[in-house]
Amino acid sequence: MDKIRLGVIGFGCRSYGMTEIFLGFEDVDVLAVCDKYEDRVQNAINKVIEKKGNTPFGTTNYKEILERDDIDAVFIATDWELHIPIAIDAMNAGKAVAMEVGGAYSLQECYDLVDTWERTRVPFMFLENCCYNKEELLATAIAKKGILGKIVHCSGAYGHDLRNEVVHGKENRHYRLRNYLNRNCENYPTHELGPMAKVLGINRGNRMVSLVSVASKSFGMEQYVIDNKDKVDPDLQGVDFAQGDIVQTIITCENGETMLLTLDTSLPRSYNRAFTVRGTKGMYEQFTNSVFLDGNNEYWTGKEFIDNYLNNADKYNDLLPDCWKNITKEQLDAGHGGMDYIELRDFIDRLKAGIPMALDVYDAAAWMCISCLSEESIKNGGKPVEIPDFTKGEYKNRKDVDIILGYHVE
Amino acid sequence: MDKIRLGVIGFGCRSYGMTEIFLGFEDVDVLAVCDKYEDRVQNAINKVIEKKGNTPFGTTNYKEILERDDIDAVFIATDWELHIPIAIDAMNAGKAVAMEVGGAYSLQECYDLVDTWERTRVPFMFLENCCYNKEELLATAIAKKGILGKIVHCSGAYGHDLRNEVVHGKENRHYRLRNYLNRNCENYPTHELGPMAKVLGINRGNRMVSLVSVASKSFGMEQYVIDNKDKVDPDLQGVDFAQGDIVQTIITCENGETMLLTLDTSLPRSYNRAFTVRGTKGMYEQFTNSVFLDGNNEYWTGKEFIDNYLNNADKYNDLLPDCWKNITKEQLDAGHGGMDYIELRDFIDRLKAGIPMALDVYDAAAWMCISCLSEESIKNGGKPVEIPDFTKGEYKNRKDVDIILGYHVE
């Protein structure tokens, strides 16, 4: 395929930015757009016309896109709840899938996703953009080179104050609001878990076997609603939010490694994914972009550490893929500091070349199922819950894959 | 009492430094010293003679100290395993107790400690020095002033690379070695938990109700033994260490707050307690000594945050107690950057004044029991374990206490 004919399903804020990137690709045409709201469909059509000149087909029914012969692939960025059902329908219709992240609502939908792919073998990519981010790629490369020794533990957070987004969910027609009102779980695990899974070889030699998950009560959202009475939907005054402010989930892997995920989205904070990789020879920390190696002097205060280590990981930048070494300002500005551009480029490159996706249906199922399993654990006071192996034992044979086509570290 | 006549029980590395502080106090005489090893007893005697002139009674049997009429109080800094048994014997003998930290080996010994105190009412202080440290005191004061809003979550770590200490445990006769070989738990919870408990009012209006604890495998110690073959006891080659490298424990409080403890002592790292307090109006972070308040701009990289926030918590330094505002270089150098001096001074001041200790037997029991409960949870795959209420319901009535005599924040 020289050109990918794309349909965009779901046209909220996220899709707007991602579609802009697709529209910038010479080898992609956006020929169809869909949202459940008419005004968003019109915005999407206008966006395509403005940027590329063609008038795409627009619809509020995604199935009409899946029926079209002029569509090779779909980008799915709907409400979290619909990601998997639409991906399944798309694969059944023979359309390649690029599916945005989120968490699963049941194990069954994860199994269904895997089954559908195994039956159809339609290209499927899970769009975990943080796996394509500079720091996470650097940490992964440093780990793969053995610089950190045997990897023992990873931790990371989705540390992002979303209170304003959540409380304005009604006017913005945003799915987070109903999720925060009704559900208590690690609702957005993949930004941390994806890069950790890559470092620890999950689904490729290793697997996650169990988790425990514990949530604090929800104090943050309720206080925010009180404090912003004049700006927030009055229906939310005094309402209980089900979603705990801080959710911590500890995952144990088959080989004895552990991973800590922190969902931290409804208290005041500065953004931080806090991706950290710990090995027997050293540690990588994203917050300071630092590598601390065995035998170095320890420091007793944060300031001393910062003075000596901040950004010292840059000395390993040669390990980064060319797309990061040569990144342009335009690409950096395209979304989330460059990772969105690099991720979508990789999807298109692999699709055109007929090469399997780096983040596949097994990764999607394994990473997304953490949400519904954490929900179960939290409901039961932190009870350990088993994590299924969606590869049916094949994880033992599946080889490590390079996350960016043509980029290889060993 | 004008002068406290002190016995020191246990004379390893820790006791050496702490005794030095006691010997610097005008109102303390060290009249007896004990260790199970003769050479350490002699060192202790020499130390007292050198610093203060008197020749203390020396023994390898601590019971001989407890029988003496010229001893008012004992400082206990033995192996972890003996802290509670000796404290119980001391209280039964009517000697006031300052007991060093560590974790408990069974719930029963925690109950016995509490029962003994309730029967004897002998002054007892739990020497959790981090509760007296500048940053933890500052964070606690900021929280008490309401600057962070309702407190929802605290986290902290004992992030201290102890591999060298542990593997040389045989030659240094150090208790950590046998603990790391035979036991897998949050073996040293109180440095983080103590300050968190103060912030959240544990045993004073609030209590801990349950925990889950998960450990990674032990890869760090074993790799260290291999890498340092020529320096390490050959008996340790190829030996399995029971203690996991990273142990994470999530505690849930009665009011819905959560606490995360991380034991992180056998992989390469720089020292970090990472004490963090999260509220509905802001957060305090020890690593950057920063306060981030609601409504401030968030930053998308660690460097941006550091550039804008590092040490901005200093603007609240007026909330610190006078002993920290007026601290001298000598006091700062006396141990762990000043906190040891301030802690021991507070013990002596309260003892002389006949005022209850700020860190009492209920705190000791509640904080130390986390070790044996985490051991149970880890053994059972992270199973939730109930945390007892050692106050028998009295935590509801017990009022907040000022940690330093005469220092009050509200």
Side-chain angles (χ1 to χ4, degrees):
Chain A
M1 286 190 273
D2 285 343
K3 241 181 175 180
I4 301 297
R5 298 170 301 172
L6 189 75
V8 173
I9 300 176
F11 215 85
C13 183
R14 176 66 177 153
S15 208
Y16 208 82
M18 294 294 262
T19 301
E20 183 111 13
I21 296 174
F22 278 124
L23 290 169
F25 291 158
E26 295 274 321
D27 50 1
V28 173
D29 279 332
V30 175
L31 297 188
V33 293
C34 169
D35 194 275
K36 63 180 171 181
Y37 300 110
E38 299 261 7
D39 58 315
R40 288 185 181 171
V41 176
Q42 197 53 57
N43 283 343
I45 292 171
N46 295 345
K47 179 96 193 158
V48 177
I49 294 172
E50 175 203 326
K51 185 109 183 196
K52 206 102 173 195
N54 66 299
T55 304
F57 169 73
T59 175
T60 55
N61 177 2
Y62 73 87
K63 290 187 177 168
E64 290 183 6
I65 291 186
L66 301 183
E67 284 160 6
R68 293 180 71 91
D69 292 336
D70 63 350
I71 295 294
D72 305 311
V74 292
F75 165 64
I76 302 170
T78 59
D79 303 353
W80 287 337
E81 293 91 333
L82 290 175
H83 287 181
I84 290 179
I86 296 175
I88 288 172
D89 285 347
M91 286 191 278
N92 280 328
K95 309 302 184 194
V97 171
M99 187 178 87
E100 266 298 344
V101 294
Y105 292 79
S106 72
L107 281 185
Q108 190 57 53
E109 62 173 353
C110 298
Y111 281 118
D112 291 346
L113 183 74
V114 169
D115 290 348
T116 306
W117 182 82
E118 289 183 342
R119 192 165 31 74
T120 64
R121 302 274 159 172
V122 167
F124 173 96
M125 173 160 167
F126 189 48
L127 293 175
E128 182 28 76
N129 57 351
C130 295
C131 288
Y132 290 84
N133 191 46
K134 187 177 172 183
E135 290 148 0
E136 282 86 346
L137 280 170
L138 182 60
T140 307
I142 289 168
K144 278 196 184 176
K145 291 293 272 185
I147 294 166
L148 306 179
K150 154 82 185 150
I151 305 304
V152 179
H153 180 74
C154 296
S155 60
Y158 187 56
H160 191 180
D161 177 2
L162 295 171
R163 292 172 299 164
N164 192 54
E165 177 182 301
V166 171
V167 299
H168 290 101
K170 192 172 165 191
E171 60 206 87
N172 295 330
R173 299 171 295 193
H174 200 295
Y175 50 87
R176 269 202 174 94
L177 176 57
R178 64 174 173 269
N179 278 276
Y180 277 68
L181 283 170
N182 300 316
R183 207 173 172 222
N184 190 9
C185 65
E186 170 44 273
N187 65 32
Y188 205 56
T190 69
H191 283 344
E192 316 103 271
L193 180 53
M196 290 181 197
K198 286 288 149 194
V199 167
L200 287 169
I202 300 302
N203 287 336
R204 299 177 182 280
N206 197 358
R207 76 177 196 90
M208 303 183 280
V209 293
S210 69
L211 64 77
V212 298
S213 194
V214 176
S216 76
K217 260 175 88 166
S218 173
F219 295 107
M221 294 302 311
E222 289 156 30
Q223 187 63 48
Y224 192 80
V225 167
I226 292 166
D227 293 346
N228 295 276
K229 205 175 279 188
D230 43 343
K231 285 179 273 176
V232 169
D233 177 6
D235 290 353
L236 290 178
Q237 289 299 328
V239 163
D240 279 340
F241 283 76
Q243 178 64 54
D245 291 328
I246 305 280
V247 178
Q248 299 200 289
T249 305
I250 311 171
I251 296 170
T252 302
C253 302
E254 188 178 59
N255 301 335
E257 308 92 341
T258 47
M259 303 192 265
L260 173 71
L261 313 181
T262 302
L263 179 79
D264 175 1
T265 57
S266 48
L267 295 172
R269 67 159 305 121
S270 194
Y271 186 90
N272 191 6
R273 286 202 302 281
F275 186 59
T276 302
V277 182
R278 303 294 306 280
T280 54
K281 305 280 190 183
M283 76 173 174
Y284 174 85
E285 275 195 338
Q286 182 179 33
F287 181 70
T288 48
N289 187 36
S290 67
V291 173
F292 179 91
L293 294 182
D294 199 6
N296 283 351
N297 284 336
E298 64 174 4
Y299 293 98
W300 285 75
T301 71
K303 182 171 186 323
E304 286 171 317
F305 183 82
I306 289 165
D307 286 347
N308 285 281
Y309 283 88
L310 184 66
N311 282 331
N312 83 330
D314 282 346
K315 70 180 167 211
Y316 298 102
N317 280 350
D318 267 355
L319 297 175
L320 287 168
D322 288 342
C323 56
W324 268 110
K325 288 181 190 159
N326 305 323
I327 199 156
T328 66
K329 184 169 182 318
E330 194 187 355
Q331 291 163 5
L332 285 168
D333 293 344
H336 293 112
M339 60 185 171
D340 291 346
Y341 171 88
I342 286 171
E343 170 190 54
L344 295 186
R345 191 61 250 166
D346 193 58
F347 169 67
I348 297 296
D349 289 343
R350 286 177 187 268
L351 191 58
K352 285 172 66 182
I355 288 171
M357 299 293 159
L359 309 184
D360 64 13
V361 76
Y362 300 106
D363 297 321
W367 304 352
M368 293 177 82
C369 81
I370 299 306
S371 292
C372 53
L373 298 180
S374 88
E375 189 175 14
E376 186 187 337
S377 181
I378 290 167
K379 255 186 210 149
N380 291 286
K383 188 190 76 162
V385 176
E386 279 183 35
I387 303 173
D389 165 27
F390 293 99
T391 73
K392 307 182 187 78
E394 272 304 300
Y395 73 94
K396 291 176 190 162
N397 310 314
R398 281 162 51 94
K399 297 273 168 273
D400 194 28
V401 70
D402 301 320
I403 194 155
I404 293 167
L405 194 60
Y407 166 61
H408 190 66
V409 178
E410 63 182 346
Chain B
M1 287 190 273
D2 284 342
K3 238 178 179 183
I4 301 298
R5 299 169 300 173
L6 189 74
V8 173
I9 301 175
F11 214 84
C13 183
R14 176 66 176 157
S15 208
Y16 208 83
M18 294 294 263
T19 301
E20 184 111 14
I21 296 174
F22 278 124
L23 290 169
F25 291 159
E26 296 274 322
D27 48 1
V28 174
D29 279 332
V30 176
L31 296 189
V33 293
C34 170
D35 194 275
K36 61 181 172 180
Y37 300 109
E38 299 261 8
D39 58 314
R40 288 187 181 167
V41 176
Q42 197 51 58
N43 283 344
I45 291 171
N46 295 345
K47 179 96 195 159
V48 176
I49 295 172
E50 174 203 326
K51 186 109 185 196
K52 207 104 174 194
N54 66 300
T55 303
F57 169 71
T59 175
T60 55
N61 178 1
Y62 72 87
K63 290 187 179 170
E64 290 183 7
I65 292 187
L66 302 184
E67 284 160 6
R68 293 180 70 91
D69 291 336
D70 63 350
I71 295 294
D72 304 311
V74 291
F75 164 63
I76 301 169
T78 58
D79 304 354
W80 288 337
E81 294 90 333
L82 291 175
H83 287 181
I84 290 179
I86 295 175
I88 288 172
D89 285 347
M91 285 190 279
N92 280 328
K95 308 302 184 194
V97 171
M99 186 179 85
E100 265 299 343
V101 295
Y105 292 79
S106 72
L107 280 184
Q108 190 55 53
E109 62 173 355
C110 299
Y111 282 117
D112 291 345
L113 184 75
V114 169
D115 289 349
T116 306
W117 182 82
E118 289 183 343
R119 191 167 30 77
T120 64
R121 302 273 158 173
V122 167
F124 173 96
M125 173 159 167
F126 189 47
L127 292 177
E128 181 30 75
N129 57 351
C130 295
C131 289
Y132 291 84
N133 191 47
K134 186 177 174 184
E135 290 148 1
E136 282 87 345
L137 280 169
L138 182 60
T140 307
I142 290 169
K144 277 196 183 173
K145 292 293 271 187
I147 294 166
L148 306 180
K150 154 83 184 148
I151 306 302
V152 178
H153 179 75
C154 295
S155 59
Y158 187 56
H160 191 181
D161 177 0
L162 295 171
R163 291 172 300 164
N164 192 55
E165 177 181 301
V166 172
V167 299
H168 291 101
K170 194 173 163 191
E171 60 205 88
N172 295 330
R173 300 172 293 193
H174 199 295
Y175 51 87
R176 270 204 173 94
L177 176 57
R178 62 174 174 271
N179 278 277
Y180 277 68
L181 284 170
N182 300 317
R183 206 173 172 221
N184 191 9
C185 65
E186 171 42 275
N187 65 31
Y188 205 56
T190 69
H191 283 344
E192 315 104 271
L193 179 53
M196 289 180 197
K198 286 289 151 194
V199 167
L200 287 170
I202 301 301
N203 286 335
R204 298 178 183 280
N206 197 358
R207 76 176 196 90
M208 303 183 280
V209 293
S210 69
L211 65 76
V212 298
S213 194
V214 176
S216 76
K217 261 174 88 167
S218 172
F219 297 107
M221 294 302 310
E222 290 156 30
Q223 187 62 48
Y224 192 80
V225 167
I226 292 167
D227 293 346
N228 295 276
K229 205 176 281 189
D230 44 341
K231 285 179 271 173
V232 169
D233 179 5
D235 291 354
L236 291 179
Q237 289 299 326
V239 162
D240 280 340
F241 283 77
Q243 178 63 53
D245 291 327
I246 304 280
V247 178
Q248 300 200 287
T249 304
I250 311 170
I251 296 170
T252 302
C253 302
E254 188 178 60
N255 299 337
E257 308 92 342
T258 48
M259 303 192 264
L260 172 70
L261 312 181
T262 302
L263 179 78
D264 175 0
T265 57
S266 47
L267 295 173
R269 67 158 307 122
S270 193
Y271 186 89
N272 191 5
R273 286 203 300 281
F275 186 59
T276 302
V277 182
R278 304 293 306 279
T280 54
K281 303 279 191 185
M283 75 172 174
Y284 174 85
E285 273 194 337
Q286 183 179 33
F287 180 71
T288 47
N289 186 36
S290 66
V291 172
F292 179 92
L293 294 182
D294 199 7
N296 283 352
N297 284 337
E298 65 174 2
Y299 293 96
W300 285 74
T301 72
K303 183 172 185 321
E304 285 172 317
F305 183 83
I306 289 165
D307 286 348
N308 285 283
Y309 283 88
L310 184 67
N311 282 330
N312 83 329
D314 281 347
K315 70 180 169 212
Y316 298 102
N317 281 349
D318 266 356
L319 297 176
L320 286 168
D322 288 341
C323 56
W324 267 109
K325 287 181 191 159
N326 306 323
I327 198 155
T328 66
K329 183 168 181 322
E330 194 187 355
Q331 291 164 4
L332 285 169
D333 293 343
H336 293 114
M339 61 184 169
D340 291 346
Y341 171 88
I342 286 171
E343 171 190 52
L344 296 186
R345 191 61 250 165
D346 193 58
F347 169 67
I348 297 296
D349 289 344
R350 286 177 187 269
L351 190 58
K352 286 172 66 182
I355 287 170
M357 299 293 159
L359 309 185
D360 64 13
V361 75
Y362 300 105
D363 297 322
W367 304 352
M368 293 177 81
C369 82
I370 299 305
S371 292
C372 55
L373 298 180
S374 87
E375 189 176 13
E376 185 186 338
S377 181
I378 289 167
K379 254 188 210 145
N380 291 287
K383 188 189 76 162
V385 175
E386 278 182 36
I387 303 173
D389 165 27
F390 294 99
T391 73
K392 306 181 186 79
E394 272 304 301
Y395 71 94
K396 290 176 191 161
N397 310 315
R398 280 162 51 94
K399 297 272 169 273
D400 193 27
V401 71
D402 301 319
I403 193 154
I404 293 167
L405 194 60
Y407 166 62
H408 190 66
V409 178
E410 65 182 343

